[in-house]
Amino acid sequence: MRLGMHTLTEGRGLLFGGDYNPEQWPEEVWAKDAELMRAAGVNLVTVGVFSWSRLEPEPGRHDFGWLDRVLDLMAAHDIAVDLAIPTASPPPWLGHRWPETLPVDERGQRLWYGSRNQYCPSSRVYRERSQSITTALAERYAGHPALAMWHVGNEYGEVCHCDASAAAFRDWLRARYGDLDTLNEAWGTTFWSQGYGDWAEIVPPRHAPYIINPTQRLDWWRFCSDELLAHFREQRDILRAHTPDLPITTNFMGLFKRVDYFSFAAEEDIVSNDCYPEPGNPRTPALTALTHDLMRGLGGGRPWLLMEQSTSAVNFRGHNLPKPPGQFRLESLQAVARGADGLCYFQWRASRFGAERFHAAMVPHAGEDTRLHAEVRAHGQELRRLASLAGQPVPARVAMVFDWASWWALEDRGRPSDRLNATEQLLDYYTPFFERGVSVDVVPPSADLSAYALVVVPNLFLVSDRDAAALTAYARGGGVLVVGPFSGVVDPNAHVRTGRFPAPLREVLGASGEEWLPVADGQVVRCRWRAAANPDTAGLDSAGPDSAGPDSAGPDSAGPDSAGSGGAEFGARAWTELLRSDGAEVVAEFAEGDLAGSPAVLRNRAGDGVAWYVGTMPDAAALGALAERALADAGVRGPLPGLPPGVEAVRRGDVLFLLNHGTSTVRVPIPEPADDLLTGSTAEGHVTLTSRAVAALRPHTPS
Ligand code: GLA
């Protein structure tokens, strides 16, 4: 990433704005839009995401006049433009004249135009037409004073199973394997008589009678992601040639399965994300925080851009709950606290027509004289008070490892249980850190882990030898490693690693297993913390429960620490493993059933560090206790002791954000006098936060 958010924030502070679709409105409205934007503090708009048919009404004939006027208007109002390359929604003429550009699903059914995203990523015509509109836009707008960045496509994620895609898949496989023998071995095609004798026989995983070859499916996921990335790169290279000093992005969708965002992020200048938290779901604040931390991880810690969020209800869920007053502000500030340097919305003005006419916007159908727009305006204004945060890092000493290939490999048919999922494991392990105000970076297994005191691997079903060796070296070198269940099971070909599991990690874990034993739905398996046995752990125990998390005196503390004498119980669900210690201390054991007395959680002194293994899915309180214990091992604390439930604490630069996601007013003790950047007031001893209130506290420096 040569060009980061600083290219946009320098001289502007934090960015505020949204998708602007003026082509949906008569030109009289545009001037009013520009005035309203200024009044709301808007300094960035994304234009043209879905304008291809307006910009190129027929192949090769361009109509740029209207866009010229939009960009001129934005320049006159000092509003920067993130100009989109409109390839996410090709015009009807593309599918009409070249039906092969339309995507085909796994049953061979073509998907038609009339919505959006109807393209085959491998279609030669689509690729050429994409490059042609990109070149035309780059030639016309390079040097325009409003143009500040490029936005390629929209929410990449299309998949196509047509014959052109099959041919491209074969090319990709040839590059990966070289010859058919190697492919046959990698895919394990001796199983079910699947041996390939000719490249032409290989097809995408199309609709088939029964479970499809898992390695074929895994390679298909890899290919689809790479193919979209190839499309992105083609547009990026054209844009870069015309405007080498402007950053280029494409907007992500958080934990979106079809695209490996780590590979995309490495190819773009700015990481940007679309985030639509689900109102009313108690896990939403943690999931949103996790998504934001992933965005930071994707960019190697750099600031990122919240490209889309909603001021209130969306329209893509069945029953779309509105956001109460103060909610979108709270969510927006949550993103700032977690490293966003720009806060943008879908969209500026609510559409009157089209598929999203009931989606909230910055200017609702009822107009600007509304509660919602007043809130938008106030928020845009207040963001100016946070301008000094632009570019500031969010320091984290804890990393959580996540990997798309492992996700793809795990969540396929034919596994022991579909109750153990990659993103749910990630959120379950993330939540106790979130609740304790401990910042976490979400990183790929190949990341440099040396700067982290604690590395958590909620699940890494697929692991390469190299990554397993790096995790091992990390712990042996003094780090604290926590590994969740069903990790280290398969290699990059999705072949099971034989021997006791997790084969490539069992040495560092000092523990190993022989059977995965899913349990019935609804059954809670009782587990018991054991008393610390070995002197090494007892020493750590003697540091006491308060040595770790800020709120270790809370209800979650009935765990390995407070259970110094052992005996406290917790529940686990869905998943158990038959494990044994090969030297690790058994920290918790199963307390009932066939596994009674056998290890559930183990902790191993590995070289200069510590490695934990969790062979089940413990309840939230037990995961909290485990997090505290791992934090104690790592010597990491959250920023504030005794955080009330529902309050999120996160430090960005020298500013401590406190965000009240709860419904009642809370009093949060603070260690030193601080100035609240949002209100301008000074707080001492504590701050009081009403529901949905936020404080942005910078240590007070007397003037
Ligand atoms: C996505 C898209 C937008 C719009 C919003 C609606 O983020 O990028 O075009 O459809 O969803 O929430």
Side-chain angles (χ1 to χ4, degrees):
M1 294 193 196
R2 309 159 311 133
L3 303 161
M5 284 297 293
H6 61 278
T7 55
L8 297 160
T9 54
E10 268 164 23
R12 293 192 183 94
L14 297 180
L15 303 163
F16 181 63
D19 276 29
Y20 182 38
N21 297 306
E23 66 272 30
Q24 297 176 12
W25 297 91
E27 292 205 22
E28 314 74 273
V29 180
W30 302 0
K32 187 171 179 191
D33 282 334
E35 291 305 321
L36 287 174
M37 285 177 187
R38 288 291 299 175
V42 166
N43 54 12
L44 179 74
V45 287
T46 298
V47 175
V49 181
F50 297 107
S51 299
W52 195 346
S53 72
R54 277 296 304 268
L55 294 169
E56 192 177 2
E58 57 185 275
R61 183 171 71 79
H62 295 127
D63 175 6
F64 288 134
W66 68 273
L67 187 56
D68 293 351
R69 294 192 291 284
V70 172
L71 263 68
D72 291 349
L73 183 69
M74 292 298 110
H77 288 79
D78 201 18
I79 296 168
V81 169
D82 165 33
L83 187 57
I85 300 303
T87 48
S89 195
W93 55 252
L94 189 74
H96 179 68
R97 295 197 192 192
W98 291 281
E100 75 271 24
T101 62
L102 296 169
V104 170
D105 70 13
E106 55 191 2
R107 286 177 180 259
Q109 192 77 42
R110 225 169 249 296
L111 306 182
W112 283 88
Y113 43 87
S115 176
R116 65 176 179 187
N117 306 342
Q118 74 288 355
Y119 61 83
C120 162
S122 301
S123 154
R124 189 183 48 79
V125 175
Y126 170 68
R127 298 274 279 256
E128 284 171 5
R129 289 288 158 185
S130 294
Q131 291 176 43
S132 142
I133 186 69
T134 303
T135 305
L137 282 163
E139 282 173 352
R140 186 152 190 110
Y141 295 108
H144 191 286
L147 180 64
M149 70 182 287
W150 295 105
H151 177 298
V152 178
N154 192 63
E155 299 188 332
Y156 270 102
E158 286 332 290
V159 166
C160 175
H161 294 73
C162 74
D163 289 342
S165 302
F169 185 38
R170 288 192 281 268
D171 288 344
W172 184 94
L173 291 167
R174 264 192 212 99
R176 184 175 178 86
Y177 296 113
D179 57 66
L180 275 178
D181 286 347
T182 311
L183 177 141
N184 277 312
E185 197 177 316
W187 284 18
T189 55
T190 49
F191 191 82
W192 283 350
S193 170
Q194 291 169 353
Y196 293 98
D198 186 331
W199 286 96
E201 294 164 7
I202 298 174
V203 291
R206 292 177 174 156
H207 189 60
Y210 189 43
I211 301 175
I212 290 177
N213 182 313
T215 315
Q216 180 186 0
R217 295 249 312 159
L218 175 59
D219 276 347
W220 175 248
W221 284 108
R222 288 174 169 137
F223 159 75
C224 290
S225 182
D226 283 359
E227 194 72 343
L228 291 170
L229 183 57
H231 180 268
F232 169 80
R233 274 206 214 101
E234 285 165 9
Q235 325 317 316
R236 180 204 63 188
D237 291 348
I238 294 168
L239 297 171
R240 221 168 242 178
H242 285 83
T243 55
D245 297 329
L246 292 188
I248 301 168
T249 192
T250 183
N251 46 340
F252 293 157
M253 290 180 273
L255 284 161
F256 176 70
K257 191 170 171 187
R258 278 192 225 155
V259 177
D260 178 352
Y261 285 156
F262 283 114
S263 69
F264 259 74
E267 301 279 349
E268 61 178 1
D269 297 310
I270 288 174
V271 169
S272 64
N273 193 43
D274 300 347
C275 187
Y276 293 96
E278 187 185 354
N281 180 341
R283 301 201 74 179
T284 287
L287 177 59
T288 308
L290 166 61
T291 308
H292 295 344
D293 292 354
L294 170 66
M295 293 307 129
R296 229 178 37 248
L298 290 169
R302 279 175 282 253
W304 52 281
L305 172 60
L306 182 51
M307 185 66 87
E308 292 181 28
Q309 53 180 330
S310 183
T311 55
S312 189
V314 299
N315 76 327
F316 54 77
R317 300 190 174 104
H319 184 58
N320 296 289
L321 297 182
K323 293 184 183 175
Q327 183 65 28
F328 81 73
R329 170 183 184 265
L330 171 68
E331 291 171 355
S332 199
L333 293 172
Q334 184 183 25
V336 175
R338 293 186 179 272
D341 271 5
L343 298 310
C344 296
Y345 292 80
F346 177 84
Q347 60 179 324
W348 166 252
R349 189 180 277 282
S351 304
R352 292 165 300 163
F353 44 72
E356 293 181 325
R357 66 202 192 284
F358 296 116
H359 192 294
M362 299 169 85
V363 182
H365 291 140
E368 66 272 24
D369 183 16
T370 48
R371 190 239 353 130
L372 192 136
H373 186 69
E375 225 186 289
V376 166
R377 198 178 278 205
H379 184 50
Q381 300 293 355
E382 77 174 342
L383 284 174
R384 294 183 181 157
R385 299 193 202 120
L386 301 179
S388 64
L389 279 171
Q392 292 298 308
V394 179
R397 302 206 58 217
V398 178
M400 217 153 266
V401 171
F402 189 75
D403 181 51
W404 260 263
S406 181
W407 185 6
W408 296 329
L410 173 71
E411 294 181 16
D412 203 355
R413 286 180 71 189
R415 56 185 157 141
S417 165
D418 63 5
R419 306 297 192 266
L420 194 160
N421 291 308
T423 49
E424 284 169 26
Q425 280 287 115
L426 182 65
L427 181 59
D428 285 353
Y429 276 76
Y430 177 85
T431 300
F433 295 94
F434 170 77
E435 288 172 348
R436 286 158 179 77
V438 176
S439 292
V440 170
D441 285 345
V442 183
V443 302
S446 57
D448 175 4
L449 302 173
S450 55
Y452 297 105
L454 171 59
V455 170
V456 182
V457 183
N459 172 265
L460 199 58
F461 172 66
L462 178 155
V463 68
S464 67
D465 292 345
R466 201 181 50 191
D467 291 342
L471 291 170
T472 300
Y474 165 75
R476 299 194 70 82
V480 178
L481 177 69
V482 177
V483 178
F486 209 38
S487 293
V489 173
V490 300
D491 67 15
N493 287 334
H495 293 200
V496 174
R497 293 171 176 279
T498 53
R500 297 181 66 81
F501 63 77
L505 295 169
R506 65 183 178 228
E507 195 192 320
V508 71
L509 296 172
S512 61
E514 57 198 87
E515 282 182 56
W516 302 296
L517 302 164
V519 299
D521 286 339
Q523 186 186 337
V524 175
V525 182
R526 282 189 303 115
C527 304
R528 185 180 303 121
W529 299 110
R530 277 198 196 167
N534 85 42
D536 168 39
T537 353
L540 282 160
D541 274 350
S542 67
D546 293 324
S547 65
D551 58 348
S552 45
D556 288 357
S557 62
D561 281 327
S562 59
S565 56
E569 290 194 350
F570 62 93
R573 68 179 180 91
W575 185 269
T576 60
E577 296 179 355
L578 175 55
L579 301 172
R580 76 167 184 224
S581 164
D582 299 324
E585 179 198 353
V586 178
V587 179
E589 63 188 21
F590 294 105
E592 63 179 338
D594 294 336
L595 287 179
S598 84
V601 180
L602 301 103
R603 175 183 179 278
N604 191 39
R605 258 285 176 209
D608 295 332
V610 174
W612 291 76
Y613 185 64
V614 185
T616 186
M617 292 168 65
D619 61 29
L623 282 177
L626 196 75
E628 290 197 359
R629 181 57 190 280
L631 286 166
D633 279 350
V636 175
R637 289 163 185 267
L640 279 187
L643 264 187
V647 176
E648 173 180 357
V650 58
R651 199 180 284 287
R652 181 165 185 199
D654 63 347
V655 174
L656 175 65
F657 279 84
L658 297 173
L659 304 104
N660 185 6
H661 297 280
T663 49
S664 37
T665 299
V666 291
R667 214 177 125 99
V668 187
I670 55 170
E672 56 183 340
D675 299 322
D676 186 342
L677 300 185
L678 292 165
T679 60
S681 61
T682 302
E684 205 167 338
H686 72 273
V687 289
T688 301
L689 297 173
T690 54
S691 174
R692 299 190 279 277
V694 180
L697 303 172
R698 174 171 278 154
H700 179 65
T701 39
S703 47

